[in-house]
Amino acid sequence: MTVVQRVSELIGNTPLLELARTGTGTRLLLKLDHLNPTGSCKVRMAQRMVDDAERDGLLRPGGHIVEPTSGNTGCGLALVALERGYRFTAVVDRHAAREKLRMLTALGAELVLVDIPPGGGVGSVLRRRVAAEIAAATGAFHPDQHNNPGNGAGYTDLAVELRRQLGAVDVLVAAIGTGGSLCGTVRALRAAGSRTRSVAVEPIGSIIFGGAPGVYHQTGAGSPEGFPIGANVDRTVIDEAHRVSDADAFAGARVVARRTGALVGGTTGGAIHVALRGLLGHPAGSTVVVLSNDTGEKYLDSVFDDGWLRERDVLDELAHRRVERWFTTYEASVRVATRDRWAMRTPVAVGV
């Protein structure tokens, strides 16, 4: 389809980019789902949650949607709302990337800003409470992305695309926040017969998998202390869980930008970091896919800004060099493997 009538018709069918290959034939691929409308994979599940709400009579013509968001889910809901004639209210805080808030406004969303009180508090908990209060007071539809089954189900098409593009996905690596993108995609892959191993990546400081709570600057992934983990984090389909520091996650995104020109968000950088670190641990010939959940253009004033990183003490040149070294090591392993294969094929003359 080359001409569409709605931007939402452009959702899906995103390409793959090979980031690395080892001498054992294992490939690391990046699923460029940030090329979806609104610059995020989450537009997939936003559309599905609205579809389900309309089907179940929870949304009627001219209705109102309200959702707490760090930005990406909100932008997806804003797009669907404007196409279908709904009012959308996004409950946000100042932890969200400034570019995401500006995109929400550009798409016609109403922003309700929740300020963390001087005595402290978890912004995501406050956002959730305020959204629930608005929904109760106005009768608005509150999708509750952390527990809405449409979140995970919204990635069924992503699994279909991966199977069509690759045939098989041996390992799927993704940042985890609500859990929908990783768990929903893996469930759909396995339901279709794939034996995909899943790897979840959260920031150090997040408590999804029981780590010590702390401050982190990766937005859209993880859960802070005091935030209830939603039903869409399905531990039954998660095989491995890793934690990654802000410095390592941001180094992953920045090195990929400089090597390939692909701008990805900080949490995708964390998933890339984990995938690169463990690439040689997979059986020869494996296909490892990292989900690129959102675009780096939303973080030009943060992840890709040296001053912003220094202010938060997360600019680490050693971390950058480590990521570069992984790439060069894998490139060298391919050259060595190629040379060895040619050596085995070339007959050696034996003197008489």
Side-chain angles (χ1 to χ4, degrees):
M1 184 180 298
T2 57
V3 178
V4 299
Q5 293 181 316
R6 291 188 172 192
V7 168
S8 61
E9 295 177 60
L10 300 172
I11 295 171
N13 296 311
T14 54
L16 290 155
L17 172 68
E18 182 174 299
L19 286 182
R21 182 186 290 261
T22 71
T24 65
T26 292
R27 297 183 298 168
L28 174 58
L29 309 178
L30 188 62
K31 176 65 168 167
L32 302 177
D33 230 42
H34 65 272
L35 297 181
N36 275 304
T38 74
S40 169
C41 69
K42 292 197 172 185
V43 70
R44 293 180 185 264
M45 63 87 151
Q47 181 174 248
R48 177 59 183 263
M49 291 191 300
V50 172
D51 286 344
D52 290 351
E54 291 174 341
R55 180 199 64 204
D56 297 337
L58 300 175
L59 264 177
R60 301 188 183 281
H64 182 196
I65 304 169
V66 59
E67 179 74 356
T69 176
S70 61
N72 284 325
T73 299
C75 290
L77 287 169
L79 171 63
V80 179
L82 72 87
E83 286 188 343
R84 303 187 189 186
Y86 299 126
R87 174 186 168 199
F88 173 56
T89 300
V91 182
V92 300
D93 62 38
R94 298 187 191 280
H95 186 58
R98 182 171 58 181
E99 294 90 340
K100 294 181 184 178
L101 300 182
R102 293 167 75 177
M103 179 180 286
L104 283 165
T105 301
L107 294 176
E110 303 168 8
L111 302 189
V112 173
L113 182 64
V114 174
D115 281 319
I116 299 175
V122 179
S124 51
V125 173
L126 297 175
R127 291 199 317 257
R128 194 171 187 178
R129 187 182 72 201
V130 170
E133 290 171 351
I134 293 172
T138 65
F141 169 58
H142 173 24
D144 186 12
Q145 59 181 308
H146 290 272
N147 295 291
N148 191 317
N151 181 345
Y155 295 97
T156 300
D157 286 346
L158 176 55
V160 171
E161 290 171 30
L162 287 170
R163 283 178 58 84
R164 184 177 67 246
Q165 292 168 318
L166 299 171
V169 177
D170 298 303
V171 183
L172 187 69
V173 187
I176 190 164
T178 67
S181 59
L182 176 64
C183 299
T185 305
V186 170
R187 270 197 306 270
L189 284 169
R190 292 177 181 173
S194 296
R195 301 178 65 181
T196 304
R197 184 169 185 81
S198 62
V199 179
V201 181
E202 67 173 332
I204 291 176
S206 166
I207 50 84
I208 291 177
F209 297 106
V215 175
Y216 56 89
H217 301 287
Q218 299 169 59
T219 62
S223 288
E225 183 178 23
F227 189 86
I229 308 303
N232 283 316
V233 176
D234 184 356
R235 289 173 171 80
T236 67
V237 301
I238 297 172
D239 298 303
E240 297 179 31
H242 296 266
R243 307 177 84 211
V244 64
S245 70
D246 288 337
D248 284 336
F250 300 156
R254 287 159 63 96
V255 170
V256 165
R258 292 171 187 175
R259 289 181 66 92
T260 70
L263 284 170
V264 301
T267 59
T268 299
I272 291 169
H273 187 280
V274 169
L276 283 169
R277 187 174 66 202
L279 198 58
L280 284 176
H282 303 297
S286 295
T287 297
V288 181
V289 176
V290 170
L291 295 182
S292 178
N293 290 336
D294 73 341
T295 181
E297 282 90 343
K298 298 175 182 176
Y299 306 97
L300 295 177
D301 288 338
S302 54
V303 173
F304 296 96
D305 183 88
D306 288 2
W308 187 92
L309 296 178
R310 287 194 186 96
E311 288 174 6
R312 290 152 183 82
D313 196 27
V314 292
L315 179 61
D316 187 340
E317 290 301 328
L318 288 176
H320 285 70
R321 289 200 289 271
R322 189 160 48 243
V323 176
E324 286 280 8
R325 188 164 59 247
W326 284 329
F327 276 114
T328 56
T329 297
Y330 297 141
E331 289 168 351
S333 75
V334 171
R335 290 194 297 271
V336 170
T338 302
R339 183 192 63 198
D340 290 347
R341 283 195 295 271
W342 275 107
M344 293 176 64
R345 292 173 184 171
T346 304
V348 178
V350 180
V352 178

